[in-house]
Amino acid sequence: MGRVTVRRAVERVSSNGRRRRVDALAAEEPLELRVGGKPLAVTMRTPGQDVELAHGFLLSEGVIGSAEDISVARFCEGTGPDGMNTYNVLDIALAEGVPPPDTGVERNFYTTSSCGVCGKAALDAVKLKTRYSPALDPVRVTPEALTGFPDALRERQKVFESTGGLHAAGLFVNGELLVVREDVGRHNAVDKVLGWAVLQNLVPLTGAVLMVSGRASFELVQKAAMAGIPVLAAVSAPSSLAVELAEEQGMTLVGFLRGDSMNVYTGGERVLETA
């Protein structure tokens, strides 16, 4: 759709003086998700891979478990000032027999690009039951493999390279980087990765490592657990609730993965001794 970046004039100020230049910004637009024509949520996201985002979001909410649970995803009509379709309203039709989202879990209609669970009515409602528990996943990973993941992820962050303003998530299996997605919202980047996996019929993601470019929040641990991912690694810190949930779900949670060091907060048995 060509709306991932937006070019704007800026004034560059430095010790060498001031000058005008054109800067590339990461695009941020609202996406309204509907299920069966009924509004479910609005999230601020970077346009692109919206169908993946919807599949990943519904997987992490426990609405679907595979691609077969969705019969069709289509953009609704909606035009911007230029008269063109904005592609900012996506309607999902669930397959026959798939229950709609639980109306008992209240959600604010609007979520920001930094937090996708702020509208949950209660913390207990966020701790969704996964269909694909990662607790018994026997995967093991070496420290050498883990320390190579951040650079591998960064090399594939094409939009970040031009804007410096996007989060990224990548999926590794057997040391191979399968997919990378970028977004202004860290939870959206993860949803896009999970949605890609759903559409590729790879869920549950047994033996996988989810690598994220920022911190490890409670919500990202939840999303990984809902997809059956046994290892979540982040270049920055986890929150206390993220660590608690990872331990509860039997996941391995790695933080401060930088250079040749890392902190292993839970599931240390999956991280092998250094050769």
Side-chain angles (χ1 to χ4, degrees):
M1 295 188 298
R3 304 191 341 258
V4 177
T5 62
V6 176
R7 298 182 68 79
R8 293 293 299 268
V10 301
E11 188 174 18
R12 175 73 171 174
V13 180
S14 70
S15 59
N16 295 323
R18 308 163 77 104
R19 63 185 180 89
R20 300 285 292 180
R21 55 171 288 186
V22 175
D23 196 21
L25 305 178
E28 183 175 30
E29 296 182 11
L31 175 68
E32 178 182 330
L33 292 178
R34 300 177 181 176
V35 174
K38 184 178 180 180
L40 176 65
V42 171
T43 185
M44 300 302 294
R45 97 302 189 196
T46 300
Q49 296 98 29
D50 291 329
V51 173
E52 290 179 354
L53 191 159
H55 279 70
F57 178 80
L58 293 176
L59 173 73
S60 65
E61 290 293 310
V63 178
I64 67 170
S66 68
E68 287 70 30
D69 290 338
I70 292 179
S71 63
V72 66
R74 58 179 177 270
F75 286 99
C76 302
E77 292 185 5
T79 58
D82 57 2
M84 302 294 289
N85 194 322
T86 60
Y87 295 98
N88 282 340
V89 181
L90 183 63
D91 192 13
I92 302 294
L94 299 176
E96 185 176 355
V98 177
D102 184 5
T103 56
V105 179
E106 296 178 6
R107 174 181 294 279
N108 287 339
F109 189 57
Y110 173 83
T111 63
T112 72
S113 58
S114 61
C115 178
V117 298
C118 302
K120 291 288 190 179
L123 186 59
D124 287 342
V126 179
K127 293 186 176 181
L128 302 175
K129 298 291 185 180
T130 178
R131 310 182 191 195
Y132 311 115
S133 174
L136 299 180
D137 193 312
V139 69
R140 297 292 185 268
V141 61
T142 65
E144 292 80 7
L146 284 169
T147 55
F149 290 170
D151 286 343
L153 181 66
R154 178 63 185 272
E155 288 174 4
R156 294 270 294 273
Q157 291 181 245
K158 302 302 183 185
V159 184
F160 178 86
E161 194 67 30
S162 62
T163 67
L166 289 181
H167 295 283
L171 194 64
F172 292 83
V173 176
N174 295 324
E176 179 185 358
L177 180 54
L178 301 184
V179 63
V180 173
R181 292 291 181 260
E182 298 178 275
D183 200 277
V184 288
R186 59 173 59 87
H187 67 286
N188 290 333
V190 170
D191 278 342
K192 289 177 178 181
V193 165
L194 300 186
W196 175 88
V198 170
L199 291 167
Q200 297 295 319
N201 294 314
L202 295 178
V203 176
L205 286 162
T206 305
V209 177
L210 177 64
M211 179 77 220
V212 296
S213 61
R215 64 185 179 86
S217 65
F218 172 92
E219 184 187 17
L220 298 194
V221 173
Q222 176 206 309
K223 289 179 180 295
M226 294 297 284
I229 295 174
V231 183
L232 172 61
V235 299
S236 191
S239 67
S240 61
L241 278 178
V243 174
E244 289 177 22
L245 184 61
E247 187 170 50
E248 178 184 304
Q249 294 293 327
M251 290 175 56
T252 297
L253 179 59
V254 176
F256 291 107
L257 181 53
R258 304 169 184 174
D260 61 356
S261 67
M262 69 197 75
N263 289 348
V264 181
Y265 293 89
T266 64
E269 70 280 356
R270 290 195 179 97
V271 180
L272 299 174
E273 295 294 329
T274 300

